[in-house]
Amino acid sequence: MEKQQMYVNGKWIGSVGKQWIKTKNPATGEVLAEVPRGTKEDVDAAVKVARETFESEEWQSFLPIERGRILHKVADALRADAEKIALLETLDTGKPLTQARKDVEAAALYFEYYAGMADKIFGETIPVQPGILDYTLREPIGVTAHIVPWNYPLQILSRSTAAAIATGNTIVAKPAEDTPLTAIKLAEILDGTHLPKGVFNLVTGYGAEAGAAISEHPGVDHITFTGSVQTGSAVMMGAAKNVKPVTLELGGKSPNIIFEDCDQEEAADWAVRSIIQNAGQTCSAGSRLLVQQSIKDEFLKKVTVKMAAIQIGKGIDDLDLGPILNEKQFERILEFMTVAREEGATFLTGGEREKKAGLEHGYFFQPTVIDGLAPGSYVAQEEIFAPVVVAFSFETEQQAVELANGTDYGLVAGIWTKDGARAHRVASKIRAGQIFINNYGAGGGVQMPFGGYKKSGFGREKGLEALRNYTILKNVALKY
Ligand code: NAD
């Protein structure tokens, strides 16, 4: 691949600054392509187009069912080209092909799911008093901005784009600078439908430049952001200047809580999967293991054996674990390991760069299980974004809940027990947006609302809940 372009008003363009960003394959360090380094001026132009298109007669009178038909076409196009798109995602992010294929299918499912909703967005009638007809309208919010991270580039862009188009908005999207290629592919697919030009616009570029310009733009009506707490907070401050709403999905330090009566084999399998998927670079990764003291040694042994058996390789080799995204993230993980040692960690397995032959040029990190840290320690509290799980033990249900709730995050928790009453009791006490009982992920269903408590963010993506982000409510009262 060579130079790629941005997509604004149905046209493929470079940036006004005429500069480029290289995107690399994290498995080899090779340059895959160059994309325009979008500037504030590029963002201004894209927002202007999105605003004019939003207000245009064509888009305002576009039938909801027709929006749905377009979304169905996008789902079909993603599936028709799934193998090529998965390969592109694998090369750009490093993830194993099987995982990239699942991402493409999930992207198609988002378009399909929200396609069905396009003509089913209702208001309500509200009884007020005789002689007054009061009703609500759920209108599109306007120009929506989508700032996308690098861990699930196609999936995350698809989930919010599908919901935003279904509800009649226009879009300015920015993929992460490291992983822009499948976003460009999605723009190509949308370009091949009868979606009016200017509804979907894609600006590539750096976060501090194009991303910040989007966050602070007075012409944007809503921002959805997925990424780090620090950047999410910056996006929120930018949006606050113009009093614009944001939806923030900011990662976590999610626990798998293992009670002594659980199916240990299954729980151990999922504990491993939940931290290995996408090399642990998943906001909902199961990055803490809370194990009942009576089975701690036995259970950690099972997990350690499974982690040590994980096969590591390039995404295209399609083994269990691919590389970390880039050097910055890799160095960050090494720093975490240094701190863990200083904090008194015991490494049950891993903790180092993977030295397997053929992987020298990529950012490969060993699957790692850490024990012996204090629950309040830095490594036990912060999101590492790596195939690294930290283990703790508890005696009582109450202690399990306290440990689970004992970080600033609250995205996901897994509960493993055969005692149904206990499962629901614990689920009710955990401050997290999504609880899985005797599973972790439930197949990733696009139908399930997803988002955080505490510093994991607010607002919900996925499911019908996400439609609230992309609509604004109007109340109308008529006297008769
Ligand atoms: P980041 O949050 O900085 O990047 C995410 C997106 O935000 C990218 O598109 C980036 O270009 C954009 N961005 C960056 N700075 C911006 C700014 N000032 N204004 C507007 N947009 C901006 O993430 P990172 O630095 O690439 O990764 C650091 C850590 O963030 C990771 O180690 C991980 O802990 C966390 N993270 C979480 C998720 C998640 O899914 N929740 C995804 C990516 C990263």
Side-chain angles (χ1 to χ4, degrees):
M1 295 182 83
E2 295 159 359
K3 282 195 161 66
Q4 300 285 309
Q5 291 186 307
M6 315 194 289
Y7 181 72
V8 177
N9 206 12
K11 297 192 188 74
W12 294 98
I13 55 169
S15 88
V16 295
K18 298 195 170 20
Q19 292 194 30
W20 299 84
I21 301 174
K22 290 185 170 63
T23 174
K24 294 182 184 168
N25 179 345
T28 61
E30 285 159 5
V31 175
L32 290 168
E34 289 186 81
V35 300
R37 176 175 166 178
T39 62
K40 186 174 178 307
E41 289 72 40
D42 293 312
V43 168
D44 281 345
V47 173
K48 187 164 180 278
V49 163
R51 168 67 51 203
E52 284 168 6
T53 308
F54 180 70
E55 286 169 4
S56 69
E57 180 59 32
E58 183 187 15
W59 189 234
Q60 288 294 325
S61 58
F62 209 81
L63 289 181
I65 199 163
E66 211 50 52
R67 300 198 298 259
R69 287 185 184 130
I70 289 171
L71 299 181
H72 272 301
K73 283 190 179 149
V74 176
D76 292 346
L78 283 164
R79 289 202 177 103
D81 222 1
E83 209 44 40
K84 264 196 212 150
I85 301 171
L87 179 62
L88 205 56
E89 195 77 314
T90 283
L91 293 174
D92 214 10
T93 62
K95 67 179 70 191
L97 259 177
T98 301
Q99 293 179 29
R101 287 186 187 117
K102 285 188 182 153
D103 286 3
V104 179
E105 177 55 22
L109 285 169
Y110 281 119
F111 280 99
E112 222 163 36
Y113 180 77
Y114 290 114
M117 280 312 297
D119 59 347
K120 298 169 193 71
I121 295 157
F122 308 132
E124 294 172 320
T125 51
I126 300 171
V128 178
Q129 54 176 274
I132 297 285
L133 170 63
D134 192 273
Y135 62 93
T136 59
L137 295 169
R138 218 163 242 295
E139 300 180 338
I141 193 163
V143 175
T144 60
H146 307 236
I147 302 178
V148 180
W150 43 262
N151 51 350
Y152 293 85
L154 179 66
Q155 253 207 71
I156 292 179
L157 177 59
S158 295
R159 77 181 180 195
S160 60
T161 293
I165 293 178
T167 40
N169 299 282
T170 58
I171 293 171
V172 175
K174 192 200 83 66
E177 48 272 41
D178 289 287
T179 57
L181 298 184
T182 50
I184 293 171
K185 182 69 198 170
L186 182 64
E188 275 172 34
I189 289 175
L190 286 159
D191 188 58
T193 68
H194 57 292
L195 187 71
K197 305 302 170 205
V199 171
F200 180 85
N201 304 280
L202 185 76
V203 177
T204 51
Y206 288 116
E209 206 168 6
I214 290 174
S215 313
E216 294 174 3
H217 206 294
V220 164
D221 297 307
H222 174 270
I223 302 168
T224 182
F225 169 83
T226 304
S228 60
V229 172
Q230 197 185 3
T231 305
S233 167
V235 166
M236 196 173 164
M237 281 191 263
K241 288 182 196 164
N242 303 303
V243 197
K244 303 296 181 178
V246 292
T247 302
L248 300 180
E249 202 255 272
L250 306 179
K253 192 77 174 175
S254 300
N256 267 302
I257 309 168
I258 316 290
F259 287 98
E260 60 191 2
D261 65 346
C262 76
D263 178 334
Q264 283 199 43
E265 212 49 49
E266 199 180 10
D269 269 345
W270 279 101
V272 171
R273 279 197 216 183
S274 71
I275 191 64
I276 288 303
Q277 184 182 322
N278 207 29
Q281 303 168 119
T282 303
C283 43
S284 55
S287 52
R288 289 186 299 150
L289 259 184
L290 314 181
V291 191
Q292 198 150 25
Q293 184 59 46
S294 54
I295 59 160
K296 187 184 175 200
D297 291 347
E298 185 188 353
F299 188 78
L300 286 189
K301 197 164 171 207
K302 283 187 201 297
V303 168
T304 302
V305 168
K306 288 177 197 286
M307 285 286 268
I310 289 290
Q311 296 293 307
I312 308 175
K314 294 173 186 160
I316 46 168
D317 297 335
D318 204 16
L319 302 175
D320 307 319
L321 182 70
I324 299 301
L325 175 83
N326 61 20
E327 190 178 351
K328 180 184 129 195
Q329 287 299 118
F330 192 77
E331 291 298 325
R332 195 172 165 271
I333 296 167
L334 295 180
E335 268 173 49
F336 267 105
M337 295 306 106
T338 305
V339 176
R341 287 187 184 91
E342 287 164 9
E343 288 181 327
T346 306
F347 285 78
L348 301 182
T349 184
E352 310 273 347
R353 183 180 201 131
E354 173 61 29
K355 298 187 185 76
K356 194 168 140 186
L359 303 183
E360 299 81 0
H361 302 295
Y363 306 109
F364 293 90
F365 196 78
Q366 296 170 341
T368 301
V369 182
I370 296 179
D371 193 15
L373 288 174
S377 65
Y378 179 70
V379 176
Q381 291 284 319
E382 293 300 320
E383 182 174 55
I384 308 177
F385 239 47
V388 177
V389 64
V390 288
F392 303 94
S393 63
F394 62 86
E395 303 267 2
T396 65
E397 201 177 294
Q398 174 65 19
Q399 284 171 349
V401 168
E402 278 168 21
L403 275 173
N405 287 337
T407 74
D408 284 344
Y409 293 105
L411 194 57
V412 168
I415 301 171
W416 298 87
T417 175
K418 288 190 183 133
D419 180 339
R422 166 150 70 194
H424 290 295
R425 217 162 39 233
V426 174
S428 74
K429 289 185 185 149
I430 289 186
R431 310 233 342 121
Q434 194 159 39
I435 312 284
F436 295 114
I437 300 171
N438 294 330
N439 78 93
Y440 201 93
V446 302
Q447 305 87 346
M448 302 184 295
F450 179 62
Y453 279 44
K454 304 194 279 183
K455 281 193 180 169
S456 290
F458 52 81
R460 295 291 178 264
E461 293 288 1
K462 304 174 65 170
L464 297 186
E465 275 300 312
L467 299 172
R468 295 180 194 272
N469 300 335
Y470 303 104
T471 55
I472 187 161
L473 196 83
K474 180 180 281 171
N475 185 268
V476 181
L478 169 119
K479 185 167 183 292
Y480 63 89

